[in-house]
Amino acid sequence: MKQISTLFLLFSSFTIFAQIKGTVTDEKNLPLPVVSIFVENTYNGTSSNEVGQYELNVRTTGKHTIIFQYLGYKTLKKNITIDKFPFVLDVKLEEENISLSEVVINTKENPANAVIRKAIAAKKDNADNTARFKADFYSRGLFKLKNVPKKFMGQEIGNMDGTLDSTGSGIVYLSETVSKIMYEKPDNFKEKIIASKISGNDNGFSYNSARGTNFDFYKNTVSFGTNMISPIADNAFSYYKYVLEGTFQDENNQMINKIKIVPRRDREPVFEGYIYIVEDSWAIYGVDVDVKGYRSHQDFMDVMNLKQNYNYNKTTHVWSKNLQSLEFTAGAFGVKFLGKFTHVFSNYEFPDKFEKKTFTNEILSFEENANKKDSVYWNAYRPVPLTLEESNDYVKKDSLQTLRKSEKYLDSIDAKGNKFKIFDIITGYTYKKSMDKWSFNYAGISDLASTSYNTVQGWNLNSGFSFRKWNEENGKYTYINSVFNYGFAEDRLRVMGSYYHRFNNQNYAAISVAGGSSVSQFNNANPISNIVNTVSSLFFKDNYMKLYNKEFAQINYGQNVANGLYLNGKLEYEQRKPLFNNTDYVIIKDSDLFTSNNPLAPDNYLNAPFEQHQLVKASIFGRINFGQKYISRPDGKFNIRNGKYPTLTFNYEKAFAATDKSYEFHAVSGSLYYDKTLGNKGTLSMNLKGGKFFDADNISFIDYKHFNGNQTHIGTADRYLNVFNLMPYYANSTNKSYFESHFEHNDNGFIMNKIPLLNKLNTTLILGFHNLATADKKPYQEFSVGLDRLGFGKFKLLRVDYVRSYQNGYIGDGVVFGLKFLNLLE
């Protein structure tokens, strides 16, 4: 009964507010989706939905001219007289008669090329016509799953709480937004979301916004994960061939050229499909193109179709985008993922200028109670009607949400999950109170991810207990954790405990306290991972990880103190003790010996690189993201790094209260990180780091500046901007001044896509340079060339680099194998 009542209210609201409504079909009575419908010479428009239904808000009776525009079909102009609302207007669209005149056919030059050349020449003027505007924006996003199996990798999937039907298909996400936007080229943008709605989440705030919808074909590149070449880019003829399929007249008797876009090379970041160009003004009339996943480096996406409709206003003489749709298919392991986004732009204004301070670092905000709008509001202001499937999804999920938020339901689910089984002693156990928003966890003793091997502890594993409490509305989050680590070879148990509390999700102020006993690498950046060291030690007898025992207590506090400025302070007491090898166990035996646990003397098994001592360290760390933008949501502030500017960090560290005054010091350090996108020619990235010690001649080797070397020939990072690929881990450690620089250029396929046969790998070329200068050694340098995005099918998780290293002359060379998936296992 409740669902029937809800549907009745939806229907009633639709009837009251849909002033002009109807269905758009073709000559065979098949519905036409994404038809652009607008009042002539206005910016009042809408779109038809998947079943051809539309509704257009016209609030005055009398005479009106309604335009129906759909690529590939004749534009229809309907003169109507409205005496009362709602007014029903069903229309049929005829396929466009595309014709090639004899003059065009007899042209010596490819006629399509002539049109494209003129469009390229005129694109700045056409782009300037919409360089500054205000508009209303509507977005609807929908994701669907198809063919989901009942089980995946042995785990029961089920119907995902009623989302999937018997075929394993269903809507997993449905959301809408209504907002007002202001834009000024090149990159000033401001959006305020008036209404936000997510199916099955009455407290949710949609991520649908206009910020990511500006696919501007007047620019040389259009970003779809990678920079795709526009069909009217300055260098477009290097990437495309063109075919003039014909011309037709629009409702204003302007001639439109329909031009087919044909990629010259399949693996380039190029579109294929059609672009429609207006004769004389050479403006874009429409776009209907496909983006192949392998061309845009979106490996799990099969294809995305992008349509754009532009309409002409006789008053402003401007062609402006009024409708945009994106549909894509993706998938893996036989599961299909379908997505569709509809964007409607209406009520344009083109001011001569904006007032000062119109545009700030806040690029998106929400009106108060934006997510509390009722069905009456949505049926009044939703420009594109819901389909029956979408309406049913709202009704079903909103009803389910009411049930699932109830204390009775949450307690029943918790009761089922909280049942303790005898094997939980081994595998782990979680007790949850969803209504009160807290959980308790026991990690178990069979967590393979925590099991590792090193020559100090031998096989070792972790277990422990943790407690979490959270509040999504104000962003508070508390985490209390204990870790019990046992090393079998040294027969020793170490225990650590920590407390973390985040106060809010506006400035993300957080405090943490930790203490206990642990084993730590001399380089606290942990340059060698547990899994890589385990394999390297057991199979190749290369025990590169060097460890010491640390008993410590620390307190840490940090927050964003201003937009783009983050500060963190830390105070820590440490007692350091040397450790020695306790095992020589290997899986593959040979005559080689493990090196000692002394990074300064690998063959010295009796002496440690430092004596036992203790000290206190205080530090302050800062990070500046210049020009940082941010999104203000009721559930938090979300910062967005501005790619036009670098990120700068600085750190001051002071060691005092040591058992020996010679261990005390102070040091300053900083870094600069920057990415520069070079159009479609790739991205140049740099990371510059430097620092200096003061009064540090006799400090502990632990406190030296250690650099991230790599002797395993295995890389685990996405990019090598913080590592020297062949440098021994502690060969260049220093207690004086230092400067390191890392550069990588990723061609994003610019070169590789043009090489026959190799282009079928769909890889990218990486050129690298790394330099280290210290006060007490000759500079260390590396040059590298590599291929990224290697893999199998849609899984591109491998990288291979050839590296040459120099320090006071040539040292050697080697190959580094990038296994990026290892990050997922840590």
Side-chain angles (χ1 to χ4, degrees), residues 34 84 146 161 188 195 231 273 337 392 487 506 522 539 591 805 816:
V34 202
K84 65 176 182 178
K146 292 191 69 176
D161 293 330
N188 282 331
F337 191 79
N392 288 338
Q506 296 298 323
F522 282 84
F539 291 90
S591 59
S805 60
V816 175

Side-chain angles (χ1 to χ4, degrees), residues 316-555:
T316 61
H317 305 289
V318 172
W319 286 93
S320 57
K321 180 172 62 179
N322 63 336
L323 180 60
Q324 178 173 276
S325 71
L326 296 99
E327 295 187 55
F328 63 90
T329 59
F333 305 111
V335 178
K336 282 292 183 182
F337 191 79
L338 310 177
K340 181 175 182 179
F341 283 83
T342 301
H343 306 132
V344 178
F345 302 81
S346 59
N347 299 322
Y348 276 99
E349 296 178 35
F350 298 99
D352 294 329
K353 63 178 181 179
F354 285 109
E355 294 181 3
K356 289 184 178 180
K357 298 185 179 179
T358 295
F359 299 102
T360 63
N361 288 321
E362 183 186 60
I363 58 175
L364 177 63
S365 62
F366 282 71
E367 188 178 86
E368 187 176 358
N369 295 322
N371 66 332
K372 304 300 183 184
K373 308 293 186 185
D374 58 18
S375 60
V376 174
Y377 171 89
W378 281 103
N379 286 309
Y381 291 98
R382 176 189 289 123
V384 183
L386 297 174
T387 64
L388 181 60
E389 181 185 33
E390 292 165 341
S391 295
N392 288 338
D393 190 73
Y394 274 129
V395 172
K396 179 178 69 173
K397 288 182 180 173
D398 289 349
S399 299
L400 286 173
Q401 180 195 216
T402 302
L403 169 66
R404 290 169 183 161
K405 289 175 67 175
S406 68
E407 184 172 0
K408 181 179 179 181
Y409 175 82
L410 291 174
D411 286 347
S412 67
I413 294 297
D414 287 343
K416 182 178 179 180
N418 291 340
K419 290 181 179 179
F420 182 82
K421 307 176 186 64
I422 189 64
F423 284 107
D424 291 342
I425 296 174
I426 299 173
T427 60
Y429 171 75
T430 298
Y431 182 89
K432 191 173 185 179
K433 286 289 288 182
S434 300
M435 195 69 189
D436 297 327
K437 299 181 179 178
W438 64 265
S439 67
F440 173 82
N441 175 261
Y442 159 61
I445 59 175
S446 65
D447 182 6
L448 295 179
S450 75
T451 303
S452 63
Y453 175 85
N454 61 69
T455 53
V456 171
Q457 296 178 288
W459 286 104
N460 66 98
L461 55 82
N462 293 338
S463 187
F465 303 92
S466 62
F467 171 83
R468 288 180 173 85
K469 186 171 179 60
W470 62 92
N471 187 320
E472 298 95 341
E473 294 183 5
N474 58 26
K476 285 186 178 180
Y477 177 78
T478 301
Y479 178 62
I480 302 172
N481 185 46
S482 63
V483 177
F484 298 84
N485 174 265
Y486 181 74
F488 288 89
E490 60 175 350
D491 190 22
R492 179 170 178 178
L493 176 70
R494 293 178 174 85
V495 181
M496 287 191 303
S498 64
Y499 167 85
Y500 171 86
H501 179 73
R502 187 180 68 201
F503 295 92
N504 60 68
N505 53 10
Q506 296 298 323
N507 65 6
Y508 293 90
I511 188 170
S512 65
V513 179
S517 178
S518 69
V519 292
S520 297
Q521 294 189 47
F522 282 84
N523 183 350
N524 59 17
N526 298 323
I528 181 168
S529 68
N530 284 331
I531 188 170
V532 170
N533 183 73
T534 298
V535 173
S536 177
S537 299
L538 291 175
F539 291 90
F540 303 99
K541 230 171 186 179
D542 292 326
N543 57 325
Y544 294 119
M545 183 181 286
K546 306 304 177 185
L547 304 167
Y548 70 95
N549 188 83
K550 181 172 74 172
E551 294 169 357
F552 70 101
Q554 71 175 35
I555 184 170

Side-chain angles (χ1 to χ4, degrees), residues 95 112 116 244 364 402 444 446 470 493 579 730 757:
E95 288 192 30
I116 293 297
L244 179 61
L364 177 63
T402 302
S446 65
W470 62 92
L493 176 70
L579 296 172
Y730 298 101
L757 297 181

Side-chain angles (χ1 to χ4, degrees), residues 221-241:
T221 59
V222 185
S223 180
F224 280 93
T226 192
N227 285 330
M228 309 287 290
I229 306 299
S230 168
I232 55 172
D234 293 339
N235 59 344
F237 284 99
S238 298
Y239 292 88
Y240 297 105
K241 295 181 287 186

Side-chain angles (χ1 to χ4, degrees), residues 66-304:
I66 311 300
I67 308 296
F68 295 83
Q69 181 181 314
Y70 188 58
L71 296 179
Y73 287 73
K74 289 182 179 179
T75 298
L76 179 64
K77 181 187 293 189
K78 296 289 288 188
N79 296 311
I80 60 174
T81 301
I82 300 174
D83 53 5
K84 65 176 182 178
F85 293 111
F87 185 91
V88 177
L89 179 61
D90 295 330
V91 299
K92 291 182 184 295
L93 298 186
E94 300 176 8
E95 288 192 30
E96 187 63 69
N97 293 321
I98 306 296
S99 62
L100 282 170
S101 66
E102 292 183 6
V103 175
V104 170
I105 293 173
N106 293 331
T107 302
K108 292 182 179 180
E109 184 188 19
N110 178 351
N113 289 358
V115 173
I116 293 297
R117 289 188 208 282
K118 292 175 181 177
I120 293 172
K123 70 177 180 176
K124 183 180 184 304
D125 291 337
N126 285 317
D128 287 344
N129 288 333
T130 55
R132 186 184 299 109
F133 65 80
K134 300 178 182 179
D136 292 341
F137 175 77
Y138 168 80
S139 172
R140 177 147 84 234
L142 179 146
F143 295 138
K144 297 175 67 174
L145 285 174
K146 292 191 69 176
N147 305 323
V148 178
K150 299 295 183 183
K151 288 186 176 182
F152 180 71
M153 298 184 70
Q155 298 296 315
E156 193 77 33
I157 295 177
N159 64 3
M160 296 179 63
D161 293 330
T163 295
L164 304 179
D165 59 22
S166 59
T167 67
S169 304
I171 296 175
V172 293
Y173 176 83
L174 172 61
S175 176
E176 299 176 272
T177 59
V178 173
S179 62
K180 292 185 177 295
I181 59 176
M182 290 183 283
Y183 176 70
E184 183 178 50
K185 288 187 177 181
D187 52 16
N188 282 331
F189 178 81
K190 193 176 188 70
E191 179 175 11
K192 186 161 191 175
I193 291 183
I194 310 301
S196 174
K197 184 176 178 69
I198 300 177
S199 181
N201 187 352
D202 62 6
N203 200 37
F205 296 93
S206 171
Y207 284 91
N208 298 352
S209 74
R211 186 174 69 90
T213 66
N214 186 24
F215 304 117
D216 187 355
F217 284 81
Y218 287 119
K219 293 182 178 179
N220 286 327
T221 59
V222 185
S223 180
F224 280 93
T226 192
N227 285 330
M228 309 287 290
I229 306 299
S230 168
I232 55 172
D234 293 339
N235 59 344
F237 284 99
S238 298
Y239 292 88
Y240 297 105
K241 295 181 287 186
Y242 302 94
V243 178
L244 179 61
E245 295 216 335
T247 61
F248 59 90
Q249 301 286 329
D250 73 348
E251 75 280 5
N252 296 308
N253 293 320
Q254 299 186 81
M255 190 168 77
I256 312 299
N257 298 278
K258 180 182 180 182
I259 297 177
K260 185 176 183 180
I261 305 163
V262 182
R264 287 187 179 274
R265 291 169 294 274
D266 179 54
R267 298 289 168 169
E268 299 274 27
V270 289
F271 302 96
E272 63 179 289
Y274 296 91
I275 187 169
Y276 297 75
I277 301 295
V278 183
E279 192 81 10
D280 296 329
S281 70
W282 312 110
I284 296 176
Y285 172 86
V287 174
D288 184 358
V289 293
D290 287 341
V291 181
K292 299 291 181 66
Y294 62 86
R295 291 175 179 163
S296 62
H297 292 172
Q298 305 294 314
D299 297 307
F300 289 94
M301 184 178 78
D302 298 322
V303 63
M304 173 185 288

